Amino acid sequence: MDGDRIEEATLANSPADEISHLALDIGGSLIKMVYFSTGREEEQQQQQPIGKTQKDGRLLNGRISFLKFETSKINECLDFISSKQLRCSRGVQHSGFPASDKNIIKATGGGAFKFADLFKEKLNINLDKVEEMSSLVSGANFLLKAVPSEAFTYVNGQRNYVQIDHNDLYPYLLVNIGSGVSMIKVDGDGKFERVSGTSVGGGTFWGLGKLLTKCKSFDDLLEMSHQGNNRVIDMLVGDIYGGVDYLKIGLSSTAIASSFGKAISENKELEEYKPEDVARSLLRMISNNIGQIAYLNALRFGLKRIFFGGFFIRGHAYTMDTISVAVDFWSKGEAKAMFLRHEGFLGALGAFMNYQLVKEFPNSNPLVSDLTDNGIIDCCVQVSS
Ligand SMILES: Nc1ncnc2c1ncn2[C@@H]1O[C@H](COP(=O)(O)OP(=O)(O)O)[C@@H](O)[C@H]1O
Ligand SMILES: CC(C)(COP(=O)(O)O)[C@@H](O)C(=O)NCCC(=O)O
């Protein structure tokens, strides 16, 4: 985590950067940050759109940076913002953004409430709260419409990018797997309803996994799960049915009949299992469960497309595979699980969109890689003259 932060901080501290607008999604586990920075004035003048007057403002080139911190280490986030303050206030004049934006940050997630006083006390910054579900939806809608190849399916270890027809995007189910899980039926821009949720989410995987395997980081837990074999601990249909399928109810002998079920019949202690196998069973149990609940909600509202976001996924092959298989299995191939390249930043991006700055991404494919960690994309924003 520290490594992520430092690497990005170095990039973001480039002297050419002038941060003007910053938005936060302060969740139960992670703080996601999105900020817009411009180059220096002379650099800007060399770039095409700057100074190009539009009817309602002018276009400004810049980049959007994505960064995350652990919520339990919020001081790192405060220090980062504090280190940007001077630059930020110079940038405000420089870029032509209204000076009144200087001490206000758009923020969403529970931490926008929980830490509002801390931001005021330590940084003299007011958090302008943006509702969490609405941020997730505007972040997802924006990405699905503005970023080519944002969404993809994951089948048999293969990513297939989905071209989204803007006129045929709605309705869809957005499943955000953060600490807990929210399921939102999205019918349009600003038109949505949170239809379900479950407390068995990313926090459960990380929390239980940490207790059971003693691993030190989330990435270690994921890596362990990658190495493990869930059949060691999960009770399979074949374990119960003497190695044969139970085809009458559509279950193959290799299907999981009972997650962690073998731990009872084998009467072993935790120490006798490999942590890798425990991590694998846990990941499979939680991903399966979320996939199934998501499918049931899609069925409830007749939705064919389910987009999964949230930092739990982390672009992890086995997680995406399990969720895809669960959706495919329960829907008998009717519904499709889709994933997003900016999976973890939906809320932060949605809060950022609330500034109503972003006009366009100038490149046809501005994303060179996934944003499961930190990163930067070029963009062009419109500011009032
Ligand atoms: N570096 C990390 N540290 C902690 N959790 C992580 C990390 N990377 C991914 N995760 C997973 O992401 C979940 C948090 O997802 P996120 O979308 O940020 O939700 P929240 O808004 O609740 O913080 C964690 O519960 C964990 O499962
Ligand atoms: C309360 C929350 C919206 C907070 O969002 P998060 O920080 O987990 O991303 C989320 O944890 C949630 O939807 N939990 C599930 C609660 C339930 O429906 O049972």
Side-chain angles (χ1 to χ4, degrees), residues 282-341:
L282 192 59
L283 183 61
R284 186 113 190 231
M285 178 178 83
I286 288 168
S287 306
N288 248 331
N289 193 54
I290 295 170
Q292 182 174 13
I293 299 173
Y295 158 68
L296 289 172
N297 278 288
L299 181 71
R300 224 175 121 201
F301 298 100
L303 308 172
K304 295 271 181 271
R305 281 186 294 195
I306 312 175
F307 293 101
F308 289 88
F311 252 117
F312 167 71
I313 299 169
R314 209 136 159 59
H316 191 248
Y318 190 63
T319 308
M320 296 191 291
D321 189 62
T322 306
I323 292 175
S324 299
V325 168
V327 169
D328 186 69
F329 176 82
W330 290 106
S331 72
K332 298 195 170 61
E334 285 285 298
K336 277 270 163 294
M338 284 186 253
F339 303 92
L340 302 168
R341 290 166 80 183

Side-chain angles (χ1 to χ4, degrees), residues 4-14 17 19 21-24 31 33-37 65-69 73-88 105 119 123 125 374:
D4 290 349
R5 203 184 69 78
I6 289 161
E7 186 191 337
E8 174 65 8
T10 315
L11 281 171
N13 268 328
S14 139
D17 273 340
I19 292 186
H21 287 66
L22 187 150
L24 295 170
I31 300 173
M33 181 189 285
V34 173
Y35 62 83
F36 177 76
S37 54
S65 299
F66 298 81
L67 192 56
K68 70 173 161 44
F69 304 81
K73 297 180 187 162
I74 191 163
N75 280 333
E76 290 186 358
C77 173
L78 294 171
D79 289 349
F80 181 84
I81 296 173
S82 167
S83 75
K84 295 289 177 189
Q85 278 285 292
L86 285 174
R87 232 184 265 292
C88 180
I105 288 180
F119 274 81
L123 302 177
I125 281 176
N374 303 319

Side-chain angles (χ1 to χ4, degrees), residues 9 16 20 39 115 128 133 238 267 273 293 332 341 348 353 359:
S20 58
F115 297 116
D128 183 10
M133 299 299 122
N267 202 22
Y273 289 104
I293 299 173
K332 298 195 170 61
R341 290 166 80 183
M353 300 306 292
K359 186 73 181 164

Side-chain angles (χ1 to χ4, degrees), residues 44-296:
Q44 280 288 337
Q45 279 162 1
Q46 286 163 15
Q47 292 175 0
Q48 241 281 307
I50 183 74
K52 185 175 143 192
T53 310
Q54 296 279 304
K55 213 166 78 195
D56 48 345
R58 62 191 181 123
L59 293 177
L60 196 67
N61 277 325
R63 58 193 74 84
I64 295 181
S65 299
F66 298 81
L67 192 56
K68 70 173 161 44
F69 304 81
E70 287 174 27
T71 308
S72 59
K73 297 180 187 162
I74 191 163
N75 280 333
E76 290 186 358
C77 173
L78 294 171
D79 289 349
F80 181 84
I81 296 173
S82 167
S83 75
K84 295 289 177 189
Q85 278 285 292
L86 285 174
R87 232 184 265 292
C88 180
S89 46
R90 269 198 296 128
V92 166
Q93 304 307 330
H94 218 66
S95 317
F97 289 113
S100 57
D101 282 354
K102 206 163 79 175
N103 289 331
I104 298 175
I105 288 180
K106 300 274 184 193
T108 189
F113 293 82
K114 186 171 168 182
F115 297 116
D117 291 347
L118 187 69
F119 274 81
K120 186 70 191 162
E121 269 164 35
K122 291 242 168 141
L123 302 177
N124 194 29
I125 281 176
N126 294 306
L127 298 185
D128 183 10
K129 299 178 191 67
V130 188
E131 202 274 320
E132 185 174 350
M133 299 299 122
S134 117
S135 297
L136 289 170
V137 170
S138 44
N141 279 347
F142 173 73
L143 289 166
L144 288 167
K145 287 189 210 161
V147 181
S149 308
E150 173 65 21
F152 59 92
T153 56
Y154 195 85
V155 179
N156 299 329
Q158 284 285 328
R159 276 179 185 217
N160 292 307
Y161 288 95
V162 180
Q163 293 315 315
I164 303 286
D165 176 352
H166 293 192
N167 301 315
D168 189 27
L169 172 61
Y170 310 111
Y172 68 84
L173 187 71
L174 177 63
V175 178
N176 191 64
I177 318 177
S179 306
V181 186
S182 279
M183 304 197 182
I184 310 165
K185 177 162 93 73
V186 183
D187 290 303
D189 272 331
K191 283 175 71 186
F192 63 89
E193 183 191 353
R194 182 185 187 274
V195 292
S196 194
T198 165
S199 62
V200 181
T204 320
F205 174 63
W206 179 207
L208 264 180
K210 199 172 173 182
L211 290 176
L212 293 172
T213 69
K214 307 264 185 288
C215 69
K216 294 280 177 270
S217 77
F218 182 83
D219 287 344
D220 287 351
L221 183 63
L222 269 191
E223 181 52 32
M224 270 189 199
S225 74
H226 188 64
Q227 313 291 338
N229 177 3
N230 71 295
R231 294 179 187 194
V232 176
I233 305 181
D234 290 342
M235 189 184 280
L236 308 186
V237 170
D239 295 325
I240 303 174
Y241 272 75
V244 297
D245 299 333
Y246 186 177
L247 289 180
K248 195 162 183 222
I249 60 167
L251 294 176
S252 74
S253 63
T254 54
I256 299 172
S258 169
S259 293
F260 285 84
K262 263 192 198 151
I264 299 297
S265 58
E266 290 188 336
N267 202 22
K268 284 200 219 163
E269 296 299 320
L270 179 60
E271 296 68 38
E272 295 174 74
Y273 289 104
K274 279 169 48 187
E276 289 81 358
D277 298 338
V278 174
R280 182 82 164 200
S281 287
L282 192 59
L283 183 61
R284 186 113 190 231
M285 178 178 83
I286 288 168
S287 306
N288 248 331
N289 193 54
I290 295 170
Q292 182 174 13
I293 299 173
Y295 158 68
L296 289 172

